[in-house]
Amino acid sequence: STRKESSAASDVYKRQAVNNIEKKIENSMRREITSLEIGELVMDELKDLDEVSYVRFASVYREFKDLQSFVDELENFVKKKN
């Protein structure tokens, strides 16, 4: 039961994150938005929702060329959280 409750809560947070992204896009009043901008909005939401998901998404989305650029992103993320 606890697992189902946790999953249900997670689903609520995910839906809220999607709603937040949609509102930001709608409020921009722009006819078009790039996938790059959407990716940034997703990363912003993930930072607050789930740190592990943020790191996973960032590692693919940012297409880090080497380990140092990935470490730099992680350090930047930790600084912003503190």
Side-chain angles (χ1 to χ4, degrees):
S1 175
T2 303
R3 189 174 229 175
K4 285 184 181 181
E5 291 168 3
S6 176
S7 178
S10 176
D11 288 346
V12 169
Y13 291 125
K14 288 174 190 173
R15 279 194 295 274
Q16 185 60 47
V18 170
N19 288 340
N20 290 343
I21 292 167
E22 289 176 343
K23 285 178 188 174
K24 288 176 183 175
I25 292 170
E26 289 170 3
N27 290 339
S28 75
M29 303 295 288
R30 294 174 40 212
R31 294 175 58 104
E32 293 183 11
I33 186 166
T34 67
S35 59
L36 178 66
E37 292 169 302
I38 293 171
E40 292 297 325
L41 292 171
V42 169
M43 286 188 26
D44 285 344
E45 288 295 319
L46 285 175
K47 283 179 187 177
D48 297 327
L49 180 66
D50 183 336
E51 294 174 352
V52 173
S53 294
Y54 168 80
V55 170
R56 287 178 178 164
F57 185 84
S59 69
V60 173
Y61 177 72
R62 298 263 188 202
E63 297 178 349
F64 296 113
K65 304 298 183 228
D66 56 35
L67 182 58
Q68 187 58 50
S69 60
F70 183 67
V71 169
D72 292 345
E73 177 70 21
L74 287 175
E75 288 174 347
N76 188 32
F77 174 69
V78 169
K79 286 179 189 174
K80 288 180 180 178
K81 290 297 280 186
N82 294 332

